[in-house]
Amino acid sequence: MAFAIKAEIRDPRAELFAFAAQKTMYGGKHIAAGDTVFLFASENEGGQGLVARGAVISAEAIARTSGVIRQTPRVSVTIRRDALAVRPLGRRELKHLTDWKDGEPGTELNFKFYRQATDKIVGISDRTAAFLNGFF
């Protein structure tokens, strides 16, 4: 399975990325070592969208806090970059894709990342992973 993460990325050219206690949605809690990850520099944090692709080298689920009824699963991950994006893809390019049921890769990304704009790790379909590979 492939994943995408939208988070603060200060140096997209870094060889390693470490993200602590990241919120997960849409299957993101299943991320594991060896998985492919597409890294989006969060526009909420001054980023520009898709910046890199990498492989997970470690993933650790964060224990839930006892006594809190509703919690979003969180995961800490370390990712080794293997490619830099050569074309832009972010909120500006995806915001017009709002037919949530059309099955298109861009719409899937817009729905998962920008309908609720918080930073997060999400699971993505094979079709969307193939679409994203075209940006490298």
Side-chain angles (χ1 to χ4, degrees), residues 3 11 30 56 58 63 69 79 104 107 116 123-124 126 132 136:
F3 296 86
D11 179 10
H30 300 292
V56 177
S58 70
I69 295 171
I79 300 165
E104 293 299 316
T107 307
Q116 179 188 28
I124 58 172
D126 291 342
L132 287 172
F136 297 89

Side-chain angles (χ1 to χ4, degrees), residues 47-132:
Q48 73 275 9
L50 182 66
V51 294
R53 180 186 61 214
V56 177
I57 56 175
S58 70
E60 180 181 346
I62 304 301
R64 294 183 181 227
T65 304
S66 65
V68 178
I69 295 171
R70 187 174 170 160
Q71 297 178 50
T72 301
R74 293 185 178 268
V75 177
S76 292
V77 294
T78 303
I79 300 165
R80 181 179 43 252
R81 178 182 55 80
D82 60 28
L84 291 170
V86 295
R87 295 184 324 180
L89 182 66
R91 177 177 281 159
R92 184 178 53 173
E93 292 80 18
L94 298 170
K95 73 178 180 179
H96 71 282
L97 303 171
T98 57
D99 181 0
W100 303 138
K101 297 180 183 182
D102 70 4
E104 293 299 316
T107 307
E108 178 182 346
L109 291 166
N110 187 26
F111 180 86
K112 290 180 176 180
F113 274 159
Y114 300 114
R115 188 175 64 94
Q116 179 188 28
T118 58
D119 294 350
K120 64 191 83 131
I121 298 171
V122 299
I124 58 172
S125 67
D126 291 342
R127 185 172 180 206
T128 297
F131 167 75
L132 287 172

Side-chain angles (χ1 to χ4, degrees), residues 17-37:
F17 298 92
F19 300 102
Q22 291 295 297
K23 178 179 179 178
T24 64
M25 294 178 75
Y26 310 107
K29 68 183 179 181
H30 300 292
I31 195 167
D35 288 333
T36 297
V37 180

